[in-house]
Amino acid sequence: MKKHLFAFIPLLFILLNACGSKTQEHDTSETKEVDLIVHNAKVYTVDSTFSQAEAFAVKNGQFVAVGSSKDILTKYTAKKKIDLQKKPVYPGFFDAHCHFYRYGLGLREVNLVGTASFAEIVAKLQTFRKQNPAQAWLAGRGWDQNDWDLKEFPSKDTLDKLFPDVPVFLTRVDGHAALANQKALDLAGVKNGVKVDGGIVETKNGELTGILIDNAIQLVRKAIPEASKAEQTTALLNAQKQCFAVGLTSVVDAGLNRSNIELINELQQAKQLKMRVYAMVSATKADLDYYLTKGKIKTDYLHVRSVKVYADGALGSRGACLLHPYHDKPEEQGFLLSSPQTLDSLVQRIAAKGFQVNTHCIGDSANRLLLDIYAKYLKGNNDLRWRIEHAQVVNKADLKKFAEFSIIPSVQPTHGTSDMYWADERLGNEKIKTAYAYKDLLKQGRLLAIGSDFPVEHINPLYGFHAGVARQDAKNFPEGGFQMENAISRKQALKGMTIWAAFSSFEENEKGSIEPGKMADFVVTEKDLMTAPKTELRQLKVLRTFVGGEQVYKHK
């Protein structure tokens, strides 16, 4: 018996080996090849349950699986694997309202953001002119008289003396006011006494001061030579580089003309521009005639199906249209940039072509007017996703209209923390409570599309995250936060700059969360913005940015 048993053992060993080999081969055949595996991470998927995961697999620019590190590493194999050592990962950040192209152009101008006086501006201009003596125009952007001891608009007198033969054009931080010297005014043909609908050419003692507000800005801007195609290309690529470094993978550019959009598309098709752009078409006759006839455009990188409309100006330059006079200048109430009839006709025309309507509204009067015009065409609950851009001062009686007509508030939390030093002077102690009311808007609209409005504000989306959650500035002022009753949660802030921003752009099925089938756009940060102390949020570093599974930025 023992003899037969020992004879059987080698045979059994051979059979077991054969079975084992077949099982191993079967497992290998089930392991799927992908392009990239990210594992050992803390993944905020921002899916419908706001779930967390440890790993995901990417193939052909899309997420194909999300789960535990063990499951992903068992089921998938890739030549490129990234062990993130527990670092947090989020969907690519999505700026729901900015000026991407304009920001790029502005990188070649004098940066006037944060200047504490007009004398500091003059010094910056002189330095820049010495470094760039051949530039035809001396242009700058970012000044804000509310940051100065004397909180009044400057005049052109000093610029006329220092730069008598060089046209100077300096745009205010919000883009709704500008200062031009006499040389610039002469080249543009702007003379004393000129009137502009929806704008102001300021005079004092019968003389031009050089200040232009809202529609009057175009009188001089149209005289500035247009950037060459090479300069425009450089601007877009420089803007992309800066945006990738702060984790932005998609942007909504709020107001582009046909040539801008076509250049963006050309660079995207050539794989030079990898930033995904949701383009709002400028509401000029030429651009509307073209795009409303052509129809919607959709690629993996470019989406055109909306129009940017302007109702009023900005609060800082008192161009915002208010229901009651300004608290600090009772003789002024702001103004509309177009008549109510013109705005109504414009909305009707856009709606008839199935395009999304996105209207800039700062003052409570402008917000009321456009909410009522929207209501006329939306007629109740809908999925058209029309937006109010900024929704900055909204009368409490008008809040319910956002919910009633499914209107999306598109807000920029850093506006609140930039304006909080002087906004109560403009609005008064009672009306200020209806401004920057993000939580109140969220309750009505059920979601917020969160952006920055850069270059009006900084491009870093984490500044907006911090401002929305802490309601404080970079120095964590004020203690306890500004009007904290309207702060939003971290979860809401992250949704606002990912999945809600995508929804507001009709892209929630392809972007905004880390889920199978969606574009593999994601961001890795040094610390967890969902748990880091509020005081550290603005300094939180982006370590890596990926678009379509391709790493487009890595922190050095």
Side-chain angles (χ1 to χ4, degrees):
M1 179 67 182
K2 285 183 179 179
K3 183 178 179 182
H4 291 298
L5 180 59
F6 283 120
F8 177 71
I9 287 175
L11 179 61
L12 181 63
F13 183 77
I14 291 169
L15 289 170
L16 287 173
N17 252 351
C19 290
S21 296
K22 285 181 181 178
T23 302
Q24 192 173 2
E25 288 172 6
H26 178 71
D27 289 344
T28 301
S29 67
E30 284 195 348
T31 302
K32 297 178 181 178
E33 181 77 25
V34 294
D35 302 321
L36 170 67
I37 291 175
V38 174
H39 62 101
N40 192 24
K42 186 176 183 181
V43 182
Y44 287 95
T45 67
V46 196
D47 61 8
S48 60
T49 62
F50 208 77
S51 66
Q52 290 185 30
E54 296 177 327
F56 51 79
V58 174
K59 187 175 178 64
N60 296 328
Q62 294 186 331
F63 298 112
V64 294
V66 182
S68 68
S69 292
K70 181 180 178 182
D71 285 348
I72 297 299
L73 290 170
T74 299
K75 295 177 182 178
Y76 298 90
T77 184
K79 290 180 181 178
K80 185 171 184 180
K81 296 179 183 177
I82 302 176
D83 180 345
L84 283 181
Q85 300 179 341
K86 307 299 183 185
K87 289 285 189 291
V89 182
Y90 319 89
F93 298 148
F94 196 149
D95 194 311
H97 181 113
C98 68
H99 302 278
F100 177 69
Y101 171 68
R102 189 198 300 169
Y103 168 75
L105 287 178
L107 293 174
R108 63 195 188 115
E109 299 177 348
V110 189
N111 183 3
L112 304 177
V113 175
T115 45
S117 66
F118 189 63
E120 185 179 345
I121 286 177
V122 170
K124 280 179 171 279
L125 292 174
Q126 290 175 308
T127 300
F128 188 88
R129 187 61 185 171
K130 287 178 183 177
Q131 296 170 345
N132 302 273
Q135 284 194 194
W137 283 64
L138 181 53
R141 183 190 174 95
W143 61 270
D144 185 352
Q145 82 282 4
N146 294 305
D147 293 338
W148 308 342
D149 289 336
L150 182 61
K151 302 181 188 300
E152 297 291 338
F153 280 142
S155 74
K156 65 183 179 63
D157 297 346
T158 302
L159 302 181
D160 290 343
K161 292 176 184 176
L162 294 175
F163 307 103
D165 301 316
V166 180
V168 181
F169 187 70
L170 311 176
T171 310
R172 192 180 181 277
V173 65
D174 55 19
H176 288 270
L179 175 66
N181 72 344
Q182 190 59 47
K183 181 66 175 180
L185 295 171
D186 289 343
L187 287 173
V190 178
K191 300 186 181 301
N192 197 352
V194 65
K195 302 294 182 183
V196 180
D197 290 337
I200 295 173
V201 178
E202 187 185 71
T203 60
K204 281 188 178 179
N205 302 318
E207 298 292 332
L208 294 171
T209 66
I211 288 291
L212 309 163
I213 299 175
D214 287 308
N215 287 348
I217 296 171
Q218 288 303 120
L219 296 176
V220 174
R221 182 171 282 156
K222 67 184 181 182
I224 300 175
E226 187 176 354
S228 68
K229 183 177 180 180
E231 290 171 329
Q232 293 177 41
T233 297
T234 299
L236 287 165
L237 297 180
N238 285 341
Q240 171 178 256
K241 181 179 179 180
Q242 298 296 322
C243 288
F244 283 160
V246 294
L248 289 169
T249 59
S250 290
V251 294
V252 175
D253 198 318
L256 292 169
N257 63 36
R258 179 181 172 183
S259 65
N260 301 153
I261 294 170
E262 290 180 344
L263 177 59
I264 287 170
N265 185 50
E266 179 183 327
L267 294 173
Q268 288 171 334
Q269 296 301 317
K271 302 189 184 304
Q272 289 181 268
L273 191 67
K274 298 172 183 178
M275 178 63 68
R276 304 193 199 274
V277 178
Y278 185 83
M280 294 186 197
V281 176
S282 294
T284 64
K285 184 180 185 305
D287 290 324
L288 286 175
D289 287 347
Y290 179 78
Y291 284 103
L292 294 185
T293 300
K294 183 178 180 65
K296 300 166 188 173
I297 299 170
K298 181 72 174 71
T299 73
D300 283 347
Y301 291 91
L302 178 66
H303 198 175
V304 183
R305 61 172 299 159
S306 68
V307 176
K308 171 69 178 296
V309 178
Y310 281 93
D312 63 348
L315 195 64
S317 52
R318 296 189 187 85
C321 190
L322 302 181
L323 291 169
H324 303 98
Y326 279 89
H327 183 258
D328 56 353
K329 279 206 173 181
E331 69 276 14
E332 295 185 19
Q333 202 165 328
F335 47 84
L336 295 172
L337 301 189
S338 300
S339 70
Q341 295 77 17
T342 299
L343 290 167
D344 187 300
S345 297
L346 186 56
V347 170
Q348 182 183 31
R349 182 185 178 193
I350 299 166
K353 293 296 184 178
F355 271 56
Q356 181 189 40
V357 185
N358 301 326
T359 307
H360 166 115
C361 298
I362 299 290
D364 50 7
S365 179
N367 273 284
R368 175 171 291 180
L369 173 66
L370 266 296
L371 286 167
D372 289 342
I373 291 174
Y374 278 19
K376 180 178 176 182
Y377 299 102
L378 292 175
K379 300 176 181 177
N381 188 48
N382 62 84
D383 191 37
L384 297 176
R385 308 184 196 185
W386 290 8
R387 300 167 31 159
I388 295 290
E389 304 301 319
H390 311 304
Q392 200 159 295
V393 188
V394 182
N395 188 281
K396 288 186 180 296
D398 296 316
L399 282 171
K400 62 184 180 181
K401 298 172 186 176
F402 283 91
E404 188 176 352
F405 301 101
S406 307
I407 298 166
I408 297 174
S410 169
V411 302
Q412 301 75 44
T414 44
H415 281 345
T417 54
S418 291
D419 298 356
M420 63 185 176
Y421 313 102
W422 49 263
D424 59 338
E425 297 173 11
R426 294 283 191 277
L427 299 171
N429 293 332
E430 285 304 311
K431 186 173 282 191
I432 187 64
K433 296 174 183 176
T434 70
Y436 319 100
Y438 308 132
K439 192 169 186 177
D440 287 344
L441 288 165
L442 180 57
K443 288 176 184 176
Q444 295 297 324
R446 298 180 295 281
L447 64 87
L448 296 173
I450 294 179
S452 66
D453 202 17
F454 74 72
V456 176
E457 302 284 353
H458 197 280
I459 65 170
N460 193 330
L462 298 186
Y463 288 15
F465 184 93
H466 173 254
V469 171
R471 307 276 290 197
Q472 293 175 315
D473 65 11
K475 297 180 180 179
N476 299 302
F477 174 86
E479 185 177 354
F482 166 64
Q483 297 187 171
M484 283 300 289
E485 68 274 13
N486 267 299
I488 56 178
S489 71
R490 296 188 192 217
K491 180 177 177 181
Q492 291 164 344
L494 182 58
K495 283 186 171 184
M497 54 196 254
T498 55
I499 192 64
W500 288 347
F503 180 89
S504 73
S505 304
F506 297 89
E507 295 178 342
E508 75 279 9
N509 292 324
E510 59 196 72
K511 296 182 191 174
S513 61
I514 297 176
E515 297 183 83
K518 290 196 173 184
M519 295 171 174
D521 301 347
F522 59 95
V523 181
V524 182
T525 58
E526 179 184 32
K527 295 182 181 178
D528 190 344
L529 64 89
M530 302 301 285
T531 59
K534 290 180 181 178
T535 54
E536 297 179 8
L537 291 174
R538 285 185 181 235
Q539 288 73 45
L540 197 145
K541 290 186 179 65
V542 168
L543 299 181
R544 301 178 187 232
T545 304
F546 288 77
V547 174
E550 176 190 354
Q551 183 171 281
V552 293
Y553 170 77
K554 184 176 182 180
H555 181 69
K556 296 180 180 178

